[in-house]
Amino acid sequence: MDNIAIVGAAQTTYERRKKDKTCYDLVFEMTKQVLEDSGLTLKDIDNVITVSNDFLDGRTISSMAVGEAAGAHDKNVSTVEGDGTFGALYGAMRVLGGFNTTLVVAHSKGSEGDVKHITNAMFDPIFQRFLGLEAITASALQASVYMDRYGIREESFAQVSVKNHGNAKNNPYAHLPMDLTIEDVMGSRKIADPLKLLDCSPVSDGAAAIIIANESYTSKAKTKPVWIKGLAHCAEAYFLGDRDLADPRSLRDAAEKAYAMAEITDPMKAFDVVELYDAFSYMEPLWLEGLGFCSPGEGCKLLDDGITTMSGTLPVNPSGGVLSAHALLVAGLARIIEAVLQLRGEAENRQVPGAKTALAHGINGPCGQSHCVWVLSSEK
Amino acid sequence: MTTERDYGQLLTLTFSTPMPYEWSIGKYGSLFFHEIRAHQRFIGIRCPQCGKVYVPPRRLCAPCFMELDELVILANLGTIMAFSVVNYPFPDPATGEQRPIPYTYGYIKIEGSDNIFSHIINETNVERIAVGMKVAAVFRDREEMQGNIQDIKYFEIME
Ligand SMILES: [Zn+2]
């Protein structure tokens, strides 16, 4: 793969309701901010990718409404409907395909629609939708399968919530920084067994943007380039019942491909920090298994042993993760941005000292139907 | 091959639940509707770079990629640039009810602005409506205004 790098990053704070901002405002502000961050001007940007979802925005072809706010007036603009990691992946492909620079911007305002309605609508209308299946219910099933397979206790998941909400206290962008105990999580309101309120991410409003550039263009940017060493994605079956929910095989597959591209053989040794898509507490250990940091069923042990805490050898979600801020579609791009900040050494209070190689991860579809894995490095 | 009898066996599923939204109108959109309520007139915004005045006002001049903040007060008057008398049945997006037909959809240039505003024109007889005619906005009674585009009832052709 040719050398390409992320040369600009911007994100909003995440909060429940940004009543003062339209989606257009959010996209415009992120576009302006990511250009400022990179030191590039709009003239340097030769194509734009927006990330949006029509049901969330309540508009047909929602991307068309925000293209100009993304600086795409008179430019080549295209759209990804899905998590921001997939939008960024398409952006990387465009740079690899001959463009000098791609600006990728994602937005969502979960506060404007009815997110339960909207995630219910991702399921099959004939056989599933009318039964009430939506993101939380589906994830509760996945948590339950995972617990049953390996004899995991709810307390192990609660520990992830404690860690990530605690990490969020160091992240000025997070929606839910919190000091929690395992008892707080265990005692929080039952949402869908085994998930309690504090096992679930919030629905946040927010937006984020990055600029990807080819090697010859990285010197035009004022930022320290963060090199894209490997990236891959993989999907599996649509119907939950056609998948083994305790075995994220599409993640394993995507990780293997991304690691091969980056010439990584031992991920535990190779990575200094991980930002992954923990929409629910149980997802963090499950995705760590899929990413090959441990054997299947051993994910919770990584936290038990302190490995994934801020003081461990592999801090996972120093930002507080998706549990602490979940703007749909944006959250995966936020993982990439957090990884970029770590590798630039600009993550402030949440900085993992000396981080050189980072992993960022996003999901699409219920229960991680599809995964996108990024290997990023401060070194070419 | 599907026979007529087989075809009768095929089921369909009806979905008719509304999907609710609460969209932010934003700073300038809110000002636009407040101005209509307070003074029954329009507010536009000027680009400092190209000088273009947009109505309704927005954050950005897209060709200049320039942030806007210079508000311009505009009268409730305009000129018809294009129109169409609509004759096909269509559910009113605001109510879900069948909108009475015919109605006239108009492309209206508000005096003092450089882009084109669109709204309803209360004339459905194509003999009595033409491009270039002057129109004036007619507003809802103030106590009935809700801060949305229907606070403008329609544009009326001026004699
Ligand atoms: Zn302009």
Side-chain angles (χ1 to χ4, degrees):
Chain A
M1 185 168 89
D2 288 348
N3 291 323
I4 60 171
I6 297 169
V7 297
Q11 60 183 327
T12 61
T13 56
Y14 303 100
E15 53 195 324
R16 200 191 68 77
R17 175 89 174 108
K18 288 182 182 291
K19 188 185 174 189
D20 58 333
K21 302 275 186 345
T22 61
C23 294
Y24 185 100
D25 287 330
L26 293 177
V27 169
F28 173 55
E29 286 170 16
M30 285 306 97
T31 302
K32 220 167 48 164
Q33 208 172 302
V34 78
L35 288 168
E36 275 164 25
D37 179 68
S38 66
L40 298 173
T41 68
L42 198 54
K43 284 198 181 68
D44 297 311
I45 304 299
D46 51 19
N47 86 107
V48 172
I49 290 166
T50 58
V51 174
S52 66
N53 171 284
D54 293 3
F55 275 30
L56 273 168
D57 284 11
R59 294 180 196 245
T60 308
I61 326 178
S62 51
S63 57
M64 289 294 109
V66 295
E68 64 180 50
H73 191 271
D74 293 333
K75 282 195 199 297
N76 174 325
V77 58
S78 41
T79 300
V80 170
E81 192 272 8
D83 179 60
T85 46
F86 294 81
L89 180 131
Y90 181 47
M93 284 164 58
R94 304 212 90 195
V95 175
L96 290 168
F99 287 100
N100 289 317
T101 52
T102 301
L103 188 151
V104 182
V105 57
H107 73 270
S108 84
K109 291 191 75 185
S111 68
E112 297 198 336
D114 180 333
V115 168
K116 289 189 185 68
H117 246 86
I118 293 166
T119 68
N120 171 251
M122 81 180 145
F123 290 99
D124 180 76
I126 313 293
F127 296 106
Q128 294 179 316
R129 211 187 281 186
F130 286 6
L131 306 175
L133 196 62
E134 48 86 51
I136 298 172
T137 331
S139 301
L141 284 176
Q142 185 170 41
S144 165
V145 172
Y146 183 36
M147 289 171 71
D148 183 60
R149 177 77 43 88
Y150 299 111
I152 301 167
R153 299 169 60 233
E154 289 179 36
E155 284 80 356
S156 295
F157 299 153
Q159 227 179 314
V160 175
S161 174
V162 172
K163 170 179 75 76
N164 289 355
H165 286 294
N167 286 353
K169 290 190 299 169
N170 294 322
N171 179 2
Y173 299 95
H175 178 172
L176 292 178
M178 282 193 280
D179 258 320
L180 295 175
T181 62
I182 290 180
E183 293 69 44
D184 291 334
V185 182
M186 294 302 292
S188 62
R189 186 157 56 89
K190 284 263 182 202
I191 298 294
D193 197 58
L195 303 176
K196 281 86 58 199
L197 182 66
L198 293 170
D199 289 308
C200 306
S201 55
V203 175
S204 318
D205 284 359
I210 60 170
I211 295 172
I212 302 172
N214 65 18
E215 187 170 7
S216 65
Y217 232 78
T218 54
S219 56
K220 282 198 122 190
K222 69 176 190 207
T223 47
K224 190 175 154 214
V226 168
W227 301 97
I228 300 169
K229 306 296 285 184
L231 74 175
H233 65 133
C234 185
E236 58 182 309
Y238 174 55
F239 281 101
L240 295 179
D242 296 359
R243 286 192 245 157
D244 179 352
L245 292 177
D247 176 18
R249 49 180 295 182
S250 58
L251 176 55
R252 255 198 343 257
D253 194 76
E256 272 167 24
K257 290 193 175 106
Y259 297 166
M261 208 183 272
E263 295 174 0
I264 285 172
T265 47
D266 182 349
M268 193 52 110
K269 271 215 187 83
F271 291 104
D272 301 307
V273 58
V274 172
E275 279 283 342
L276 57 72
Y277 207 113
D278 55 330
F280 297 90
S281 56
Y282 76 87
M283 285 186 172
E284 183 171 298
L286 184 57
W287 300 159
L288 287 169
E289 293 169 19
L291 288 165
F293 289 105
C294 59
S295 309
E298 303 274 292
C300 295
K301 206 168 164 291
L302 294 173
L303 182 50
D304 288 339
D305 295 344
I307 292 168
T308 55
T309 63
M310 277 311 278
S311 54
T313 51
L314 184 75
V316 174
N317 288 335
S319 64
V322 179
L323 274 178
S324 305
H326 193 184
L328 299 161
L329 313 180
V330 180
L333 195 58
R335 308 280 68 72
I336 293 176
I337 290 168
E338 287 294 330
V340 165
L341 295 176
Q342 291 287 349
L343 298 173
R344 286 194 201 163
E346 294 172 3
E348 299 179 335
N349 291 338
R350 58 195 188 285
Q351 181 69 45
V352 174
K356 286 201 177 74
T357 307
L359 186 151
H361 158 255
I363 60 177
N364 236 357
C367 301
Q369 181 186 357
S370 153
H371 292 265
C372 189
V373 176
W374 287 65
V375 179
L376 298 168
S377 174
S378 57
E379 283 158 11
K380 206 191 302 171
Chain B
M1 192 182 137
T2 309
T3 65
E4 212 165 297
R5 189 185 156 277
D6 290 339
Y7 202 81
Q9 295 288 311
L10 295 171
L11 305 174
T12 60
L13 182 66
T14 303
F15 179 77
S16 54
T17 314
M19 281 276 241
Y21 288 95
E22 186 194 62
W23 292 301
S24 285
I25 291 176
K27 179 180 166 187
Y28 293 122
S30 298
L31 280 175
F32 178 75
F33 291 123
H34 282 308
E35 187 69 19
I36 286 176
R37 187 190 174 100
H39 301 293
Q40 293 79 55
R41 64 186 180 189
F42 299 126
I43 219 167
I45 200 162
R46 180 179 283 119
C47 174
Q49 189 157 313
C50 66
K52 201 168 168 180
V53 172
Y54 292 96
V55 63
R58 75 275 310 266
R59 194 73 194 273
L60 178 70
C61 176
C64 299
F65 200 66
M66 178 66 72
E67 187 156 11
L68 312 182
D69 62 6
E70 187 194 338
L71 295 171
V72 184
I73 301 292
L74 302 169
N76 67 325
L77 304 173
T79 305
I80 298 174
M81 307 301 284
F83 65 91
S84 175
V85 178
V86 181
N87 276 294
Y88 65 93
F90 181 73
D92 188 326
T95 61
E97 303 291 309
Q98 176 64 55
R99 172 182 281 179
I101 51 170
Y103 64 92
T104 302
Y105 196 75
Y107 222 42
I108 297 157
K109 188 151 182 180
I110 304 293
E111 271 181 26
S113 76
D114 296 295
N115 67 331
I116 296 170
F117 188 76
S118 41
H119 212 282
I120 306 297
I121 298 168
N122 77 329
E123 176 55 71
T124 55
N125 182 344
V126 287
E127 306 296 321
R128 290 206 293 261
I129 180 168
V131 168
M133 283 179 162
K134 300 289 177 197
V135 288
V138 175
F139 300 96
R140 263 184 186 152
D141 290 340
R142 193 192 283 203
E143 53 277 12
E144 284 171 20
M145 285 192 181
Q146 292 172 355
N148 61 35
I149 196 66
Q150 288 129 301
D151 287 354
I152 308 166
K153 280 159 76 174
Y154 46 73
F155 281 73
E156 193 168 53
I157 295 169
M158 296 161 77
E159 298 303 326

